[in-house]
C-alpha cells in the first residue's frame, strides 16, 4: 500500500515496534538484537521518523560471538537505506563534528556507475559484510519487491544512504541517532511526509 518513501518509513517503524508482523524481506518477529546493540531499535525509529527508510542494520561487536564460534568478529555499528536530498543533508549536518560517517550514492535513469561500499564486518581479519555499495535501479526494485509501485519509484530516485561508526565495537551510534534525530529534538514533522 506504500505510495511514497515516507510511507515506507512509516511502515518500517510499524514493523520495528511490532505493530506490523512482517517487513519486505523480513517475515515473522522483529529481529533486532538489543542485547548486542542497546538502543538499536530507538536509533532505527529515529532515522525512519527523520525520513530515512532503513533497510539493513547491524550492531557493533568486537570479539567472539555468543554462538561459540572460534572466529574473531569485528563489526562496526552501521545502517543503510534510502532518503531524499533534504533528509540526506540533515543527516550530514547531524554527523558533522562527530566520528560517524555518512556515505551516499544516487542512481539517475539508465546511467549507473558502481561505487564500493564500506566493509562493516570482518571475520578472522577477512572482510565479510559491506554496507553502502551503490545499488542499481533493478537491485532497488528487487530489494523492495512487494511494495507499492510509487514507493519503489521514490526509492529508486532517492539517495542511497549508509551511516556507520568507523570505530569497531561500540554501539553509541544508536543513542546519538535517537537523541539528535527524534521528532522532539528536531521539531514537528515536515508536511507531506507520512509519519
Amino acid at each position: 500500500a506504500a505510495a511514497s518513501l515516507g510511507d515506507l518509513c512509516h511502515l518500517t517503524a510499524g514493523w520495528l515496534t511490532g505493530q506490523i508482523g512482517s517487513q519486505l524481506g523480513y517475515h515473522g518477529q522483529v529481529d533486532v538484537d538489543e542485547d548486542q546493540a542497546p538502543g538499536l531499535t530507538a536509533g532505527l525509529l529515529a532515522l525512519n521518523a527523520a525520513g530515512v527508510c532503513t533497510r539493513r542494520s547491524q550492531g557493533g561487536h568486537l570479539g567472539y560471538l555468543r554462538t561459540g564460534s572460534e572466529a574473531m568478529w569485528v563489526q562496526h555499528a552501521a545502517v543503510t537505506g534510502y532518503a531524499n536530498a533534504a533528509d540526506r543533508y540533515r543527516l550530514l549536518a547531524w554527523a558533522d563534528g562527530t566520528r560517524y560517517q555518512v556515505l551516499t550514492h544516487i542512481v539517475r535513469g539508465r546511467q549507473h556507475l558502481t561505487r564500493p561500499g564500506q566493509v562493516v564486518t570482518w571475520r578472522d581479519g577477512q572482510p565479510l559484510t559491506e554496507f553502502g555499495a551503490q545499488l542499481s535501479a533493478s537491485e532497488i526494485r528487487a530489494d523492495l519487491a512487494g511494495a507499492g509501485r510509487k514507493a519503489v519509484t521514490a526509492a529508486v530516485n532517492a539517495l542511497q544512504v549508509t551511516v556507520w561508526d568507523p570505530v569497531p565495537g561500540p554501539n553509541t551510534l544508536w543513542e546519538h541517532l535517537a537523541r539528535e534525530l527524534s521528532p522532539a529534538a528536531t521539531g514537528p514533522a515536515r508536511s507531506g511526509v507520512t509519519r
Side-chain angles (χ1 to χ4, degrees), residues 36 58-65 69-78 117-131 164-169:
Q36 179 185 336
Q58 69 174 32
H61 182 80
L62 192 57
Y64 298 96
L65 293 178
S69 168
E70 295 302 318
M72 178 67 156
W73 291 81
V74 175
Q75 287 188 187
H76 299 264
Q118 174 62 46
V119 176
V120 293
T121 305
W122 303 80
R123 181 179 186 269
D124 280 342
Q126 298 300 313
L128 185 67
T129 306
E130 182 180 89
F131 275 14
W164 66 287
D165 187 343
V167 177

Side-chain angles (χ1 to χ4, degrees), residues 38-59:
L40 175 56
T41 303
L44 296 177
L45 286 169
L47 280 167
N48 281 282
V52 180
C53 178
T54 60
R55 293 300 297 147
R56 285 166 193 78
S57 61
Q58 69 174 32

Side-chain angles (χ1 to χ4, degrees), residues 9-185:
C9 291
H10 179 73
L11 294 169
T12 300
W15 175 72
L16 287 164
T17 57
Q19 298 170 358
I20 297 173
S22 64
Q23 186 204 27
L24 301 171
Y26 296 87
H27 304 287
Q29 296 298 314
V30 175
D31 187 21
V32 176
D33 190 354
E34 287 284 335
D35 291 337
Q36 179 185 336
L40 175 56
T41 303
L44 296 177
L45 286 169
L47 280 167
N48 281 282
V52 180
C53 178
T54 60
R55 293 300 297 147
R56 285 166 193 78
S57 61
Q58 69 174 32
H61 182 80
L62 192 57
Y64 298 96
L65 293 178
R66 291 174 302 195
T67 59
S69 168
E70 295 302 318
M72 178 67 156
W73 291 81
V74 175
Q75 287 188 187
H76 299 264
V79 58
T80 188
Y82 309 107
N84 65 34
D87 293 321
R88 179 245 187 188
Y89 288 125
R90 186 173 165 203
L91 201 55
L92 286 171
W94 164 81
D96 188 38
T98 73
R99 73 172 185 240
Y100 307 116
Q101 302 292 310
V102 179
L103 175 65
T104 60
H105 299 303
I106 191 165
V107 174
R108 281 288 181 246
R110 297 181 186 276
Q111 185 177 13
H112 173 63
L113 299 173
T114 301
R115 294 192 175 103
Q118 174 62 46
V119 176
V120 293
T121 305
W122 303 80
R123 181 179 186 269
D124 280 342
Q126 298 300 313
L128 185 67
T129 306
E130 182 180 89
F131 275 14
Q134 187 177 30
L135 301 175
S136 67
S138 61
E139 288 170 321
I140 295 170
R141 290 186 187 97
D143 181 44
L144 298 173
R149 182 181 53 80
K150 289 182 180 179
V152 174
T153 299
V156 167
N157 292 325
L159 289 157
Q160 299 163 30
V161 178
T162 299
V163 183
W164 66 287
D165 187 343
V167 177
N171 282 287
T172 54
L173 172 64
W174 315 118
E175 177 188 348
H176 284 121
L177 286 167
R179 184 177 62 240
E180 301 298 328
L181 294 182
S182 70

